[in-house]
Amino acid sequence: MTTHFPGSRISIVLDADGVRRFATEARQTQPTRILAVVERSAFTRDATGQKHGYVPFSSSIMSHGHLAQRSQRGLHFDFAVTLCDSIHRPVITLTGTCGSGELDVAILDVIAEFTGSSRIACSGAIDILISNRDGLGHQELASNPVFCLNPAWLFGLNMELANHVNTQALAATRQAYQSRSSVIAYTDGSLPHHGQDRGAGAMVTMQGHWASQVTPKRFSRSPLMAETTGALLALRHTPVDSDLIIFSDCKALVKSVNDAVSGLQGQRGAHDIAIDVAMARRRGDTRAIWVRGHNGNCFNEAADRMAVLMARHFNAGINPEQTYSLMQKIVAEELSELALAV
């Protein structure tokens, strides 16, 4: 049985393995491969279920000698899959939403639903053209044997029309949360009681990033300098054009950041100067908000625990790999309830 796409010359035929695939006038013995152009748009959800645009951090976050990673918890995608015919013309765009690590299955399901068939399981059955502009990688797609990502024969093809279709298909969902694409960071600091020890700062963002670093050597050993270190992580690694909101339980730090934004002058300490330097490169809006510490906010609690761990482990000379592993556990424990299903 052959099924035709509405308004197109392309058709689908039922193959011997029970899967419906594209058919062409000059059908070959082997099932015809599907060409699909994939576009995705990442977002996160907060504890209330509100949707937030995902904003990637700068690549330099991994090269400054501190511990950092992007957490996949709570990360979701709106995606569009444009199916093309045998001469590479876009035919139809299918859209959907999925959680992190489920993009490969979601693509197969949306194609199966459209064609009225079971999920395709034939190795290398689908050639996918997909970009990596958000920097999140293609691990789930690359590990799925059904997909051949950006195959060599695709390079040089003019897929401008297909990409335009994708953009149009995602326009509504992007607009729904584009206005909420600020980076929201919770920061904290810790200074051990020993006078000779270094302090540390940490941050956790609602976009799914975390980082921790010991205080710079030039900083005097004070709790405020440790708090400032956490804020500097957010200031330096947020994309320069993105708005940034810093939540901190340190009122002195909040005042310092907001004074720098307002251009207020006065007696400027080392922490104020460090904040001024970090903010000089930014073009997006920046503001700081005080939040009560140890009041049940999971982001604030995570930043606090990470700063304490970083300071203690650094001063004790513990293997950074062990510290990194424990940091991941802290993020998982504190933010586990935020891995909301869409």
Side-chain angles (χ1 to χ4, degrees), residues 1-3 12-15 17-23 27 32 34 111-112 114-118 120:
M1 176 179 174
T2 300
T3 304
I12 293 175
V13 5
L14 183 64
D15 283 317
D17 60 2
V19 175
R20 291 180 176 86
R21 293 191 177 87
F22 291 105
R27 185 164 175 75
T32 304
I34 295 176
I111 293 176
F114 173 72
T115 59
S117 110
S118 58
I120 297 174

Side-chain angles (χ1 to χ4, degrees), residues 34-272:
I34 295 176
L35 170 60
V37 182
V38 177
E39 182 74 25
R40 65 183 181 184
S41 179
F43 64 92
T44 60
R45 291 188 186 275
D46 59 24
T48 67
Q50 177 64 52
K51 202 171 184 179
H52 297 266
Y54 170 82
V55 180
F57 267 31
S58 65
S59 58
S60 62
I61 196 167
M62 296 300 295
S63 61
H64 278 71
H66 54 256
L67 299 176
Q69 85 159 21
R70 182 199 299 97
S71 171
Q72 295 291 315
R73 287 191 166 273
L75 188 63
H76 308 279
F77 297 100
D78 287 320
F79 68 91
V81 180
T82 300
L83 304 179
C84 304
D85 64 16
S86 59
I87 58 174
H88 313 143
R89 295 175 306 182
V91 176
I92 189 167
T93 295
L94 311 173
T95 61
T97 302
C98 65
S100 174
E102 301 169 1
L103 184 58
D104 57 341
V105 175
I107 291 173
L108 293 172
D109 283 344
V110 77
I111 293 176
E113 181 179 359
F114 173 72
T115 59
S117 110
S118 58
R119 185 187 297 165
I120 297 174
C122 178
S123 297
I126 304 178
D127 293 324
I128 287 184
L129 182 65
I130 182 170
S131 66
N132 189 32
R133 287 174 295 185
D134 53 22
L136 292 170
H138 298 142
Q139 184 173 358
E140 67 265 317
L141 294 177
S143 61
N144 192 309
V146 177
F147 300 127
C148 179
L149 298 187
N150 302 324
W153 66 268
L154 277 174
F155 293 120
L157 291 181
N158 183 3
M159 302 301 292
E160 182 178 353
L161 180 57
N163 285 317
H164 174 71
V165 173
N166 278 321
T167 301
Q168 293 298 108
L170 284 177
T173 52
R174 282 178 174 168
Q175 187 176 4
Y177 58 86
Q178 193 171 22
S179 61
R180 301 184 62 85
S181 61
S182 300
V183 172
I184 301 175
Y186 285 77
T187 70
D188 212 332
S190 174
L191 180 71
H193 297 300
H194 307 291
Q196 299 302 314
D197 286 347
R198 296 265 291 277
M203 66 151 193
V204 180
T205 78
M206 292 187 69
Q207 277 70 24
H209 305 86
W210 62 260
S212 186
Q213 184 179 26
V214 294
T215 55
K217 291 183 178 180
R218 66 181 183 277
F219 275 11
S220 62
R221 294 180 174 88
S222 74
L224 180 55
M225 294 306 186
E227 298 280 356
T228 302
T229 300
L232 290 177
L233 288 172
L235 285 167
R236 289 173 179 167
H237 297 301
T238 299
V240 294
D241 294 316
S242 298
D243 294 344
L244 171 64
I245 303 174
I246 296 175
F247 285 88
S248 171
D249 57 14
C250 176
K251 292 183 177 180
L253 174 65
V254 170
K255 182 179 185 302
S256 179
V257 172
N258 290 333
D259 283 352
V261 172
S262 303
L264 296 179
Q265 299 297 320
Q267 187 173 1
R268 308 289 286 169
H271 68 289
D272 296 302

